[in-house]
Amino acid sequence: MLSPTTTDALTAAGVTKRFGGLVAVDNMSFKLAEREVLGLIGPNGSGKTTMMNLISGALKATSGEISVYGEVVTGIGASKVARKGIARTFQLVRMLPTMTALENVAAGGVFGHARRWGKELDDCAHALLERVGLPNAASAPVSALTYIDQKRVELARALAAEPTLLLLDEPMAGMNVEEKQDMCRFILDVNEQYGTTIVLIEHDMGVVMDISDRVVVLDYGKKIGDGTPDEVRADRAVIDAYLGVAH
């Protein structure tokens, strides 16, 4: 695990990702301060999830550098990135379908940097299921849970690794207003109580603007905005490319 010893929890410097002739992320640079919640927004296909995959090690950048607490993690692979205290959820839920909710959450504690075992691991998994609102789902096969509850299990699994940097890819997709409010409160609690730095992709602009300290905006793989929610709301380039509201 990386120790929070510098101001910047995450730094992307000139990061580019090409898939053949397609430039999915184009010379992306931004910084994320420790304990900050960063909203990563943009139209569909703008490169948000690709950027998340680059940070988490699921993809290797074509060029540029990604550092976490001053240590370069570009190209080291997802398993090594996870052991450095970086955890994530996915746009499409990725569960172990034949295992129970408890076993899925416990897997996060085994494969992340926390490395718990036995009763300590089970107790942690039970506590996290309770925190995400699923105290009675421990023994249920995860495939039998609703999509929304699977999203909650996935978040609990990510938290089982005790990450210092948490990457959330559309954690509220498919949720109603009340469910989104509950998830927002939970994400803010994680940030405030544990000091977890968070990168959030979310299409609900109200959610992004309400819970983010800063917002980075992508369009066609390029960064077109970077600032506080109020600054981004007022940015003409962002309005034209994404928000679609008149002055």
Side-chain angles (χ1 to χ4, degrees), residues 1-159:
M1 176 187 173
L2 297 172
S3 299
T5 56
T6 64
T7 302
D8 295 323
L10 172 67
T11 302
V15 176
T16 294
K17 179 61 183 178
R18 293 186 177 90
F19 296 98
L22 173 67
V23 183
V25 173
D26 191 357
N27 196 31
M28 175 67 65
S29 296
F30 65 87
K31 292 183 177 182
L32 177 60
E34 186 180 349
R35 296 175 174 260
E36 195 171 41
V37 178
L38 177 74
L40 192 61
I41 67 171
N44 288 332
S46 61
K48 303 181 299 296
T49 295
T50 299
M51 190 68 220
M52 198 80 91
N53 287 336
L54 292 167
I55 297 168
S56 67
L59 290 174
K60 183 178 180 180
T62 305
S63 60
E65 192 171 271
I66 297 170
S67 301
V68 178
Y69 292 109
E71 182 174 334
V72 176
V73 297
T74 315
I76 67 172
S79 61
K80 289 183 179 178
V81 168
R83 288 196 289 271
K84 291 182 181 296
I86 302 170
R88 71 167 296 181
T89 64
F90 294 86
Q91 186 175 0
L92 300 175
V93 176
R94 297 187 184 182
M95 293 279 100
L96 301 169
T98 61
M99 297 172 66
T100 66
L102 183 72
E103 290 167 336
N104 270 272
V105 175
V110 171
F111 296 111
H113 83 269
R115 297 301 181 95
R116 291 188 177 90
W117 306 99
K119 184 177 183 301
E120 182 186 9
L121 178 60
D122 283 348
D123 289 347
C124 172
H126 275 290
L128 285 168
L129 284 172
E130 185 169 356
R131 287 208 64 196
V132 298
L134 296 173
N136 300 316
S139 60
V142 75
S143 58
L145 299 177
T146 66
Y147 172 74
I148 300 303
D149 286 347
Q150 287 182 10
K151 296 283 280 187
R152 291 186 172 121
V153 172
E154 187 180 43
L155 178 56
R157 182 178 63 185
L159 292 172

Side-chain angles (χ1 to χ4, degrees), residues 164-183:
T164 55
L165 176 60
L166 179 62
L167 311 175
L168 302 176
D169 195 346
E170 298 191 32
M172 287 164 254
M175 294 186 179
N176 62 34
V177 172
E178 185 177 352
E179 290 166 336
K180 286 181 179 180
Q181 289 173 342
D182 288 343
M183 184 63 79

Side-chain angles (χ1 to χ4, degrees), residues 23-28 46-47 217-225:
V23 183
V25 173
D26 191 357
N27 196 31
M28 175 67 65
S46 61
V217 189
L218 284 73
D219 192 29
Y220 294 105
K222 292 181 178 289
K223 184 179 76 172
I224 63 167

